[in-house]
Amino acid sequence: MAKLSTEELLGQFKELTLLELSEFVKAFEEEFGVTAAAPVAVAAAPGAPAAAAEEAAEQDEFDVVLESAGDKKIQVIKEVRGLTSLGLKEAKDLVESAPKPILEKVDKAAAEKAKEALEGAGATVTLK
């Protein structure tokens, strides 16, 4: 097999779908015993990579981010109003301007509950 240059490899990766690229990353990690997240943790805290990894594993504050409202925007607006103290207009504006954070720095249980409620209403949500 001929050795590919960096540009040629990047060209090949550009042709992959996100799902195919995700599968490739998983296979790469298994084959070589590495993780894609490790360099980021080391770069964030070069003096204490083990401590940075422990902090990431023990995250206790989460942000609930609304990625999209989906087809049932009215239901999502109702859920946003129930989760926050926003009025109807503010909740509608927030839902229409997604992606936006709905809740910030909440504990894991509250974040999971909010995510479940919003996804039940048809929204796409991520926790950060």
Side-chain angles (χ1 to χ4, degrees), residues 60-107:
D60 59 347
E61 291 185 340
F62 295 86
D63 292 344
V64 180
V65 180
L66 176 70
E67 297 296 333
S68 71
D71 297 332
K72 301 177 184 176
K73 191 179 354 177
I74 294 172
Q75 296 295 348
V76 174
I77 292 170
K78 287 180 182 180
E79 285 299 333
V80 168
R81 289 191 67 206
L83 294 169
T84 64
S85 60
L86 296 176
L88 180 60
K89 181 171 180 5
E90 293 84 1
K92 180 180 180 281
D93 292 345
L94 188 132
V95 168
E96 289 179 346
S97 65
K100 288 282 187 177
I102 301 295
L103 299 172
E104 296 181 330
K105 297 184 180 175
V106 295
D107 63 33

Side-chain angles (χ1 to χ4, degrees), residues 1-5 8-9:
M1 180 173 149
K3 185 174 180 180
L4 298 175
S5 70
E8 291 169 329
L9 281 171

Side-chain angles (χ1 to χ4, degrees), residues 9-67:
L9 281 171
L10 288 174
Q12 292 295 316
F13 288 129
K14 286 180 183 177
E15 295 176 13
L16 297 176
T17 64
L18 287 177
L19 183 58
E20 292 169 332
L21 190 57
S22 174
E23 290 171 356
F24 168 77
V25 169
K26 288 178 187 175
F28 187 89
E29 290 173 342
E30 290 174 9
E31 178 71 25
F32 296 102
V34 296
T35 61
V40 175
V42 172
E54 287 179 27
E55 285 181 37
E58 297 176 315
Q59 180 179 0
D60 59 347
E61 291 185 340
F62 295 86
D63 292 344
V64 180
V65 180
L66 176 70
E67 297 296 333

